[in-house]
Amino acid sequence: MSVFPNIFLIFSLCGLSVLCGKKSEEVLKIIVNGIEYLPTVSPTMRLLDYLRKELKLTGTKEGCGEGECGACSVLIDGKLVNSCMVLLGQVDGKEITTIEGVNDSTLFKAFEETGAVQCGFCTPGMIMAAIALLRKNPNPSVYEIKEAISGNLCRCTGYKKIVEAIERVKRK
Amino acid sequence: MWYESLAFENPKTVQEALECLATDGAEVIAGGTDKLVQLREKKKSIKKIVNIGDIKSLKKIKKNGNTLTIGACITYSEFLELASENLPLLTDAVKQIASPSIRNIATFGGNIVNASPAGDTLPVLYAFDAEQLLESLHGKRVVKINDFITGPGETILNNGELLTEIRINIPSFTYYYRKFGPRKALALSKVSFCGVHLTDSDEIRLAYGAVGPAVIRAYEAEELYKKGQKDKIPDLIEKLVQPINDQRSTAEYRRYLCVEMTREFLKKIQ
Amino acid sequence: MGYVGKSVSRVDAADKIRGKAKYIDDLTFPDMLVGITIRSTRQRARIVDIKIPELPENIVTFSADEIPGDNYVALFKEDQPFLANGIVQYIGEPVLLLAGPDKNILREVEERIEIKYEDIPAINTIEEALSGKFPPIYGDENIYKRYGYVKGDPDSIFKEKGKSKKYKIFSGTYKTGYQEHVYLETQGVIAMLYGNGVKVLGSLQCPFYINRALAIGLGLKPDDVVIEQVCTGGAFGGKEEFPSLMAGHAAFLALKTGKPVKMIYDRQEDLLVTTKRHPSKTIQRIAFDSDNRIAAIETDFTLDGGAHSTLSEVVLARGALAATGVYRCVNSKLSSRAVSTNNVPSGAFRGFGAPQAFFAIEQSINHSANKLGLNPYNLRKINILRKGDRTTTGQLLSESTGLEKVLDAVEKAADFRKKYESYKNKKTDDKPLKGIGISSFFHGIGFTGKGEEIIKATAAVEYSVKDGAVIKISTVEMGQGMSTVIRQIGADSLQLPISEIHISAPDTSRVPNSGPTVASRTTTIVGGLVYQCCMELREKVNAKEFSSDFSSSAKENLDEEEVISSTKSYKVPKDVHWDNDNFIGSAYPAYSWAAVVVEVEVDPITFEVSVEKITAANDIGKAINPVLVEGQIEGGSLQGLGYASTEVMTITNGKINNHSLTDYIIPTSLDTPEIDSIIIEESYSRGPFGAKGVGEQPLVGVPPAYVGAVENALGVEFFEIPLTPEKIYLKLKNANRRVRREC
Ligand SMILES: Cc1cc2nc3c(=O)[nH]c(=O)nc-3n(C[C@H](O)[C@H](O)[C@H](O)COP(=O)(O)OP(=O)(O)OC[C@H]3O[C@@H](n4cnc5c(N)ncnc54)[C@H](O)[C@@H]3O)c2cc1C
Ligand code: FES
Ligand code: FES
């Protein structure tokens, strides 16, 4: 993308040029993993692309781009969201947590030890879903765990060991 | 994505939003879960995206007597958190929509304006004749859901107009709700059925999703019930619904489900 | 030490969990361009004209006539072009390539490119393919490959029909649909100039397949084409042959532009144009004698290979070899073929022809049991292969034949017989109808027939006191756990801590060709070679076999940085012979065996099927890492369940109707039943530490067990997967059966 910086300049200019009503925020501001950023790219860039291409936070994956797989899951103000379904402008002023901002060694260890990881492509998204669940409900039932990860497809594991990993954390 | 070249607005009030929408090619995004999927296919007429998801006044939910008012930008998760007890039928329907992460951003307003025959809040809204409050720079109007949606993806919403509120008058009732999807989560409806029995007046309401160009409210069947000709209802439903064959299901099976669900419902309210 | 048999944590888990593992789309290189593919919109047509608009300077096109080498993707046959050569054979066939700095702009350019076609009547179905009414797509007969045999005298048995009551004969026509892999990471490669040629990085299974295909396509020496696999987000066979085509595209663009070129398919493109499991049609007759022993089986097996041959001939072979299932059967007849249609090419998918064939034979058995008035478990017990028996091709099962054990294990664990009978005899009511189904099957380990002999897999292990052991193989980690299991084998063979065992990156310039990562061959064949290399290293430092003195002997005998190495190539055991034309001899070096029970509840009104439990027992020899084995069983079972139930993929006039993961339905966590996996370890003397393989097998037998369970619940027979509520409804309606009473 660095090849065409001028394009993004144009993009961001159109974003600002057609202001109406009470002026909307001139500059976007988002917080990612605790760090504040003032993106200069187009506000209609997908959050997923911003994270991956601009911030090089490639732990967030794209599996479908249409909200159907959960590989791109991040937290926005603590809530689980598919970052492929969100435009950068929609998260103005909000706090984003990606897998790179997670440091939950208990959960990580549980995933590692139970065999919840195979190809790993769904894994960061699964971890985000697990975190969103456990924050709200530290003691979920198996059904609640399955429900919480039901938007995160995994084609490798059959989910069983992922559910087990999350259960294991819950017991602690 | 190609739409990175579009302009973007982030109004904070309805008035601001309406002003933004007054320009040519401006289109609304709320949760974006329909819009962004649709935008993958390039759309030439769109020039600007107006995000209404952060407008606080559209994120209110109130119960006033028997009237439940849902702000257009209330997400499914917010509804489940704030109001799930107010209307268990709607709660049942909402719980089965998509996945937790989609429910965290997808809105009622989006489901209604998107006007998919398979929109899962719609049969419930049809059953209660929900009213939509529409606002534009020229004023406000209130429209019943059945008049609001005119076809698949089609509504009477004018350019520059916003849906701001959904009002549901909740009588005392019992209900039977079923959603049929190809799997247990992340599934669009093959058929959804909502049967409501108004206990005070002993009337019924029947609404069928994903079996016609829009949700089908079976008024004639409801009349038959009033006339005490309950037995004739299943046959009528069989003729009334207009399902199609597509990659999710077959017309014949969908029709069958509509009839059987109607029977189940009638059996339950005996 | 002893790592083998222990559930060592995966070596790659930590990075994957933290989002640190780099998959292909996570990599960028300076000046990297994006490549896209312009595809045929016609099913079968001559290309009359391609009009390319004037392009900005930084956008490059690449067409078939620019291909420096030969325009075919080398595999078995030479029919699949990298870019359509005047004629397109399926919707989605690559016609032209574009590269430039920005994908959005490339997509705009795409809209302005005009391709004029002249349609040719297209072949849509297996029936049309064999009708002779269309100009053939492949060869004179429109058939990629046939296999057939007659063993014993099946004809005389089937002729008996009617005359005597000696045999009971049952028949059926069984159909299976497409299945899409849905590896969660879509296909992707990056190609760049490198040395005298190119280097391609990618999400892939078979580095040396691509090496060969590109050498031919680019007109380069194989050594000048370097292929390196990077962290791969699932494959399941989908990244076996397909990446050769895509790598070619990226390499053409890289050579032309001189810059690195990245190509990543989005999900829609991946669903629409990549290979899928072959749809199949099987007509099968089966005869039983008065003791309910199988007297004869006659099978007519057809696969829809799609528009190019890809791997169809070997997929067909594996299917054909499963035609008689896991049963003793001396009189058997087979005719089989993979046909050519103007549909998306079919290709490798976990199970590789076996799921299709096993669906037919296991349903034949399930249906026969019902008609014979026998419990399907009992009918299997009468007929299954046991140690000392010979398979249909005459292969003596001299060891490691745990079939009866797996069958008994699932029967017992699931209480199959009792439940089957009680569900069968229940009275219908409005409650969910319970059903239980069973199947038994095998998976041949390694390539079919002469495959291992031809490929001559080679592995090497190097050792130095300073750096420990480095295993050099072209086998890849794609989620299945290879990198952990092979290290465990290395560690125990050398009696070293696993931390001293390394695997070098699968880069064709640095590792020998241990063959593709397919055919459930990694642990047994490649692991076996690694084991042999390690044994030779032991000899080199005078360490005794199976003692813990390797490390001390090495220190005594080697200088700190001195590197010793051993290279071993696979040798087919002397007693293993295979006649591929007549299907005589040892089809596989070894077999893993499995049985599975599926339990369901069917809604008597809506016919929605809820799967409650899967019990799967697998004899895989020594389980090197039990947790990883369970992972294969659980994941494979669920894929098998999807294949059997929800994974409907249809094609209309060559156009796939399922464009997204909302339209192609794989199971979510909420659709997942309880899965009970039972591991049976019948040691295989030629496998490392007695190991066989498990990668593909768990998927193979789930569909017939699932359908059998629905049949048990409803009391009707089904012949087709995926079995959806729509199909159940139709069947019951046509059978004039309403399960529930009227209200
Ligand atoms: C993976 C996935 C699964 C899904 N599953 C389901 C499901 O099970 N059931 C179901 O019913 N739906 C499902 N959907 C569809 C979608 O989530 C819902 O329709 C959702 O309610 C749309 O809300 P939104 O806020 O995201 O709409 P948006 O995409 O923001 O908007 C949808 C349309 O409505 C317009 N609009 C939105 N709000 C307003 C307003 N207040 N005034 C005027 N116009 C407005 C927009 O311009 C747009 O045209 C699914 C979607 C995805 C991606
Ligand atoms: S990539 Fe966002 S949900 Fe699949
Ligand atoms: S581990 Fe591969 S998709 Fe989940």
Side-chain angles (χ1 to χ4, degrees), chain C residues 274-299:
Chain C
T274 65
T275 52
K276 303 168 197 323
R277 188 188 298 290
H278 292 69
S280 76
K281 177 176 165 186
T282 308
I283 306 166
Q284 198 159 48
R285 280 205 285 178
I286 182 162
F288 291 88
D289 69 14
S290 52
D291 295 329
N292 299 317
R293 285 178 199 283
I294 295 171
I297 298 175
E298 186 183 76
T299 311

Side-chain angles (χ1 to χ4, degrees), chain A residues 46 48 61-73 82-85 151, chain C residues 661:
Chain A
R46 300 184 302 173
L48 174 65
K61 306 295 180 199
E62 174 161 3
C64 71
E66 303 200 341
E68 298 157 339
C69 78
C72 64
S73 301
N82 304 326
S83 63
C84 72
M85 288 275 97
Chain C
L661 297 184

Side-chain angles (χ1 to χ4, degrees), chain C residues 48 102 226 283 350 537 551 578 617 630 695 725:
Chain C
V48 183
D102 184 321
V226 177
I283 306 166
R350 199 178 202 171
L537 292 183
S551 163
W578 178 246
E630 282 170 19

Side-chain angles (χ1 to χ4, degrees), chain B:
Chain B
M1 292 291 136
W2 71 269
Y3 51 73
E4 276 165 38
S5 57
L6 299 179
F8 183 84
E9 295 291 346
N10 219 353
K12 295 287 183 266
T13 66
V14 170
Q15 181 61 29
E16 272 179 39
L18 293 176
E19 282 164 24
C20 293
L21 281 174
T23 58
D24 196 32
E27 294 191 19
V28 167
I29 187 171
T33 59
D34 280 320
K35 193 78 183 176
L36 291 186
V37 173
Q38 289 154 8
L39 274 185
R40 287 175 75 92
E41 301 292 325
K42 194 160 183 171
K43 199 175 149 195
K44 299 246 157 73
S45 61
I46 185 169
K47 297 203 175 71
K48 178 163 67 171
I49 297 178
V50 180
N51 174 37
I52 59 166
D54 286 335
I55 300 178
K56 291 222 170 64
S57 65
L58 298 182
K59 295 189 81 69
K60 291 201 177 119
I61 197 160
K62 323 184 268 266
K63 179 94 185 276
N64 225 336
N66 284 338
T67 306
L68 179 67
T69 307
I70 302 173
C73 290
I74 286 287
T75 65
Y76 297 136
S77 301
E78 285 161 350
F79 174 79
L80 293 176
E81 238 165 71
L82 302 171
S84 62
E85 265 128 59
N86 286 315
L87 188 47
L89 165 54
L90 190 54
T91 304
D92 272 10
V94 166
K95 270 188 180 160
Q96 295 181 57
I97 292 177
S99 64
S101 50
I102 295 285
R103 291 198 294 271
N104 279 341
I105 54 172
T107 66
F108 280 81
N111 204 238
I112 295 168
V113 177
N114 193 55
S116 157
D120 282 328
T121 64
L122 302 179
V124 181
L125 300 181
Y126 271 72
F128 290 114
D129 291 317
E131 292 177 337
Q132 335 306 307
L133 176 61
L134 312 180
E135 295 186 41
S136 71
L137 289 175
H138 314 294
K140 299 184 182 186
R141 52 179 177 152
V142 175
V143 186
K144 285 220 168 114
I145 185 86
N146 201 4
D147 300 324
F148 180 72
I149 295 176
T150 53
E154 289 162 23
T155 69
I156 60 160
L157 197 75
N158 291 323
N159 280 343
E161 207 170 21
L162 267 188
L163 164 61
T164 52
E165 236 173 60
I166 302 113
R167 297 174 188 160
I168 307 169
N169 204 342
I170 308 173
S172 41
F173 70 100
T174 63
Y175 70 92
Y176 184 63
Y177 175 80
R178 284 290 292 271
K179 164 174 175 170
F180 298 91
R183 65 183 160 196
K184 291 179 185 161
L186 274 179
L188 296 183
S189 289
K190 296 173 177 178
V191 169
S192 64
F193 167 76
C194 163
V196 169
H197 181 225
L198 307 178
T199 38
D200 291 344
S201 56
D202 189 26
E203 286 176 40
I204 60 167
R205 301 271 187 271
L206 300 170
Y208 303 83
V211 287
V215 168
I216 292 177
R217 187 53 202 276
Y219 294 108
E220 287 172 59
E222 294 169 10
E223 282 302 312
L224 284 178
Y225 183 86
K226 259 205 254 178
K227 288 189 206 143
Q229 301 178 341
K230 201 165 84 166
D231 296 349
K232 291 190 181 156
I233 293 176
D235 285 347
L236 179 64
I237 296 302
E238 183 155 13
K239 288 187 210 103
L240 201 68
V241 295
Q242 309 154 35
I244 56 163
N245 290 314
D246 62 14
Q247 69 278 14
R248 274 202 284 286
S249 189
T250 63
E252 197 181 344
Y253 176 68
R254 285 172 154 142
R255 176 171 284 121
Y256 165 82
L257 285 181
C258 291
V259 174
E260 290 303 315
M261 289 309 104
T262 309
R263 286 210 171 106
E264 282 301 295
F265 167 65
L266 292 173
K267 209 164 66 182
K268 275 188 79 162
I269 61 168
Q270 249 166 28

